[in-house]
Amino acid sequence: MSVCQKFNFSFEVFPPKTKKGLEDLNQTRQELCQLKPKYFSVTFGAGGSLQQKSLEVVRQFVAHGIAATPHISCVNMTQQRLQALLCEYKQLGVKQLLVIQGDLPSDDTQIKIEFNYATELIAAIRKMTDNYFHIIVAAYPEFHPRATSPAMDIENFKRKIEAGANSAITQFFFNSDAYFRFIEACDKFSIRIPIIPGITPIMNYQKLVQFSTACGAEIPLWLHKHLKSYSDDPISLQEIGIEFVSKLCHGLLQNGVKEFHFYTLNRAEPTYRIIQNLI
């Protein structure tokens, strides 16, 4: 278990586009490694060049003796490319993958899609590698933005498990009731895999609103207005965010949660301080 003893945690990072971004990520990695996380997950971009950078980041983490969990998405994925990636990850000693549908590129980049849903990708990975990899999938406590109904959303989630998923990480949320309602709903559908809360530090008001709108995560009205009033004061906004997210995690811990996955946005300080507040 981590230095905190009473709970485990892991971190998400993304592959930087620039040399400066890579230097910043290396610094972030060094700082967050002091907390002894279970692993770092590395996101998988929508375009080919960024996806290649994702593989390079995974290689660097492994070279430093750090457990890495690569994301694999349906975007720009073919059977042949999937086979090559899985072989590469096995050679690197990677034992765990985070498999998602993924978002299409925002521009007009031409891409190939041989897998339409995460369920299909999971099934292909299981066919190619049997049970070699522990497969993590995404879960949506406030329901997937494209879900036609809550029941259909749970059904789709269950299909991923039936295809071979071992555990799940949720999209971020700011209301713990949403998480526990989702856990109850899963229980009614006999879904028993671990479902880890995804936690995002609050660092930028505009980006937070953008991300929340895109993924269907609700920002409580009182919090929304409070953050908006500090949108031009990044230092105060970060302090408010650290306090709020720390309380959110405290509440989850008190109700039996034993593990968190932090969306770090490649910055160490906010996540580091939140975890320190929980020790």
Side-chain angles (χ1 to χ4, degrees):
M1 190 169 275
S2 72
V3 292
C4 301
Q5 295 303 311
K6 56 187 177 181
F7 64 94
N8 278 308
F9 50 85
S10 53
F11 302 131
E12 178 185 284
V13 296
F14 62 85
K17 297 180 180 179
T18 65
K19 183 178 179 181
K20 174 65 166 58
L22 185 58
E23 292 172 355
D24 291 344
L25 175 58
N26 289 336
Q27 181 64 35
T28 293
R29 182 198 72 224
Q30 292 175 36
E31 292 179 30
L32 290 179
C33 275
Q34 296 175 27
L35 294 169
K36 302 189 184 305
K38 285 182 68 177
Y39 63 88
F40 284 78
S41 73
V42 183
T43 65
F44 199 58
S49 61
L50 205 54
Q51 290 178 353
Q52 181 60 33
K53 290 181 183 297
S54 179
L55 177 56
E56 292 168 4
V57 169
V58 171
R59 287 174 181 150
Q60 289 178 8
F61 274 54
V62 170
H64 284 85
I66 300 167
T69 296
H71 291 217
I72 295 183
S73 80
C74 298
V75 179
N76 216 28
M77 187 58 64
T78 63
Q79 291 275 351
Q80 183 177 5
R81 185 152 186 260
L82 178 62
Q83 183 77 66
L85 263 180
L86 297 177
C87 287
E88 171 92 22
Y89 289 142
K90 287 179 75 172
Q91 290 173 359
L92 288 171
V94 169
K95 298 284 189 177
Q96 187 168 263
L97 305 171
L98 203 160
V99 180
I100 59 175
Q101 182 181 29
D103 298 319
L104 294 174
S106 56
D107 54 22
D108 295 326
T109 303
Q110 294 296 311
I111 60 171
K112 295 180 180 180
I113 295 183
E114 292 185 10
F115 304 97
N116 293 299
Y117 301 102
T119 303
E120 298 173 3
L121 196 51
I122 295 164
I125 292 170
R126 285 288 177 238
K127 185 176 180 180
M128 292 176 182
T129 62
D130 197 30
N131 292 319
Y132 179 86
F133 291 104
H134 178 104
I135 294 179
I136 307 171
V137 292
Y140 294 82
E142 293 167 302
F143 306 110
H144 195 286
R146 295 192 291 274
T148 55
S149 71
M152 181 59 70
D153 194 47
I154 295 289
E155 286 283 5
N156 289 335
F157 181 51
K158 190 171 184 178
R159 288 191 190 99
K160 291 192 283 190
I161 298 163
E162 292 169 344
N166 302 107
S167 62
I169 294 172
T170 75
Q171 183 55 263
F172 67 83
F173 55 88
F174 297 113
N175 186 338
S176 60
D177 287 344
Y179 172 78
F180 291 115
R181 279 197 302 268
F182 181 72
I183 296 299
E184 288 178 6
C186 287
D187 189 62
K188 291 178 181 177
F189 277 77
S190 299
I191 295 172
R192 303 282 189 261
I193 66 169
I195 301 174
I196 312 304
I199 305 295
T200 187
I202 298 171
M203 293 177 271
N204 180 292
Y205 170 75
Q206 285 78 15
K207 288 185 178 179
L208 181 68
V209 171
Q210 179 184 347
F211 292 158
S212 298
T213 301
C215 70
E218 182 182 28
I219 306 174
L221 184 59
W222 71 268
L223 178 62
H224 198 151
K225 289 183 176 295
H226 196 43
L227 294 174
K228 186 176 182 180
S229 68
Y230 287 92
S231 60
D232 295 326
D233 182 357
I235 295 176
S236 296
L237 186 137
Q238 179 172 293
E239 292 301 316
I240 292 167
I242 289 170
E243 180 182 5
F244 173 81
V245 176
S246 296
K247 288 180 179 179
L248 173 66
C249 292
H250 266 300
L252 292 167
L253 282 172
Q254 289 170 356
N255 284 279
V257 170
K258 299 296 184 183
E259 186 170 344
F260 300 102
H261 186 70
F262 288 91
Y263 300 109
T264 70
L265 299 178
N266 288 15
R267 288 184 56 189
E269 183 189 358
T271 296
Y272 196 104
R273 287 178 57 193
I274 291 167
I275 292 175
Q276 289 289 339
N277 286 342
L278 300 178
I279 297 174

